[in-house]
Amino acid sequence: MSKQGFWRRKLVSRAKRQGDYFRGEGNSTGGDSATNQPPSSYSTPGLCQPVAMFLSAAHLLPLLLVINTGGSVPSPQTPPQGCYVAEEAGERTFRCSQAGLSSVPTGIPNDTRKLYLDANQLASVPAGAFQHLPVLEELDLSHNALAHLSGAAFQGLAGTLRHLDLSANQLASVPVEAFVGLQIQVNLSANPWLCDCALQEVLQQVRLAPGTGTGIVCGPGARPDLVGQEFLLLAREEELCGTGRGGARRNTDVALLVTMGGWLILVTAYLIHYVWQNRDETRRPLKRTPVLPVRSEDSSTLSTMV
């Protein structure tokens, strides 16, 4: 027997044994294989056993990741530390009160109806910060450090948002664009307002929460004579942005002056036009009446009659 033939038969024998192993016949002792029951540990026929081993390894992969990282696998929906999801009166609520947040958190569930971000260190609300919350009805941003509010801060909430709390922040002025289209009840108290026309326009767009109007007070950045005074009283009594009784009186006076000035201009224009049209006649000399000559016969007749 040649050496090449020996190794060929050895390889064929080894391949046959491996095939019997994957078919569950690796432990058969001879005879008809149909009469020998394969062990239960190799009951998977054909090539299904390697697939089953692969699936088992896939189940172990998350466990290996946990062991490697030394903790749980992070989830994009996991609330930040200090935040939690709850059901209050049958409505999904996301609470992040006193959580030490410096920006609007991520991972807020899309079906949140009440969002509490009060008592944090939020300094601003960027554009579209809540546009991924299509059913949000109540938003609490009170007791933060808000000094800036984007004109599109509440974009996407026009049809759902009903209550907004911005009290106890550092807001001196807010853009009226942030509230256009919103049908909300808002709390603006305890902020250092400038008490300017922008605030007056905002108050025309929203409804104040009951009992919060007296808390809208002019801050240090306002006119010195307005600091510490209630803005709603000033808007009614003083001449602010042409509103209130003082502003109405001023508007009436301005309208009267404009009317009188208009009449004066019309009269002056008429006089100028009249003089211009008659300038030639005023410069023309007066015509003398012609004297007719008296005939001698008429003169003698007149003397006889006398």
Side-chain angles (χ1 to χ4, degrees), residues 34 40 110 122 155 159 168 187 191 197 204 206 259 273 277 286-287 292:
S40 61
N110 293 340
L122 302 180
Q155 183 179 1
N187 185 355
N191 282 284
C197 295
Q204 294 173 356
V206 301
T259 303
H273 176 74
Q277 291 294 329
L286 295 176
K287 296 181 179 180
L292 295 176

Side-chain angles (χ1 to χ4, degrees), residues 24-220:
E25 300 173 357
N27 290 337
S28 61
T29 57
D32 189 359
S33 61
T35 60
N36 297 326
Q37 297 296 329
S40 61
S41 59
Y42 304 118
S43 60
T44 306
L47 296 177
C48 291
Q49 183 159 350
V51 176
M53 295 174 63
F54 175 77
L55 293 176
S56 300
H59 284 87
L60 291 176
L61 182 60
L63 180 60
L64 294 176
L65 290 175
V66 171
I67 296 174
N68 186 42
T69 57
S72 60
V73 179
S75 171
Q77 297 298 326
T78 301
Q81 185 177 2
C83 304
Y84 63 92
V85 179
E87 292 287 339
E88 298 182 1
E91 296 182 341
R92 178 64 65 91
T93 302
F94 192 84
R95 287 190 174 272
C96 279
S97 303
Q98 298 180 345
L101 301 176
S102 58
S103 61
V104 177
T106 58
I108 304 175
N110 293 340
D111 59 345
T112 299
R113 292 186 177 274
K114 296 182 180 181
L115 177 58
Y116 294 90
L117 300 177
D118 54 302
N120 286 287
Q121 286 86 45
L122 302 180
S124 64
V125 178
F130 309 103
Q131 62 182 357
H132 63 289
L133 305 175
V135 295
L136 187 64
E137 297 178 355
E138 184 173 341
L139 177 59
D140 189 349
L141 296 170
S142 64
H143 296 87
N144 277 280
L146 292 178
H148 173 71
L149 203 65
S150 170
F154 309 115
Q155 183 179 1
L157 304 178
T160 60
L161 192 63
R162 295 292 179 266
H163 301 278
L164 175 63
D165 194 344
L166 294 172
S167 63
N169 280 284
Q170 299 300 316
L171 294 171
S173 182
V174 291
V176 67
E177 294 81 8
F179 303 94
V180 173
L182 297 179
Q183 303 296 325
I184 60 173
Q185 190 176 82
V186 63
N187 185 355
L188 299 174
S189 62
N191 282 284
W193 296 109
L194 290 177
C195 293
D196 53 3
C197 295
L199 180 58
Q200 182 67 32
E201 293 177 1
V202 169
L203 295 180
Q204 294 173 356
Q205 291 286 336
V206 301
R207 292 179 295 110
L208 294 178
T212 64
T214 57
I216 303 178
V217 178
C218 303

